[in-house]
Amino acid sequence: MKAIPVLKAKEIREDGTIVEVVVWKLPARLEPCIHSFKYRLYYGLPGVCRIRYDNELGKGDHRHVDGQEFPYRFRNLETLLTDFQHDIQAWGSDHESDH
């Protein structure tokens, strides 16, 4: 069984920021993750990552915010997407004067 695409969406906003969400269902979990999803959620400008959630073999679930990496506790896809949107909103609130 191959990876099955679950979600793929990309939005380029008026201010030039990009929001991209890609999720696959894997035939087996990606160690050390406790789930069988592979995902990449991105918010930023071309070449400038502001927020990214992803997981990879050997590293597991984590998130990047403004160049720093933090562990992420995956619960389910709905919570993942909600947490990502929350971080995007928080970024906007914290950096309004940067535009």
Side-chain angles (χ1 to χ4, degrees):
M1 183 162 106
K2 294 183 178 182
I4 300 167
V6 174
L7 182 61
K8 186 173 184 179
K10 184 174 183 178
E11 173 189 2
I12 300 175
R13 297 182 170 180
E14 285 185 23
D15 64 358
T17 57
I18 300 165
V19 178
E20 184 172 19
V21 175
V22 181
V23 180
W24 300 270
K25 176 76 169 155
L26 302 177
R29 64 191 183 101
L30 191 65
E31 295 285 341
C33 298
I34 59 170
H35 57 84
S36 58
F37 293 100
K38 173 73 178 144
Y39 58 87
R40 180 183 73 246
L41 288 66
Y42 175 86
Y43 170 71
L45 294 163
V48 181
C49 179
R50 292 178 175 170
I51 299 166
R52 186 174 79 241
Y53 284 59
D54 61 329
N55 62 336
E56 56 190 81
L57 183 63
K59 196 168 191 179
D61 303 297
H62 58 282
R63 60 193 261 274
H64 306 257
V65 179
D66 202 19
Q68 293 186 302
E69 184 176 310
F70 304 94
Y72 178 74
R73 188 168 76 89
F74 182 94
R75 293 170 189 82
N76 55 52
L77 284 180
E78 182 179 350
T79 303
L80 173 71
L81 296 172
T82 299
D83 291 345
F84 178 58
Q85 286 300 321
H86 180 264
D87 276 357
I88 291 172
Q89 290 171 349
W91 179 277
S93 297
D94 292 345
H95 298 85
E96 283 180 359
S97 62
D98 294 353
H99 298 298

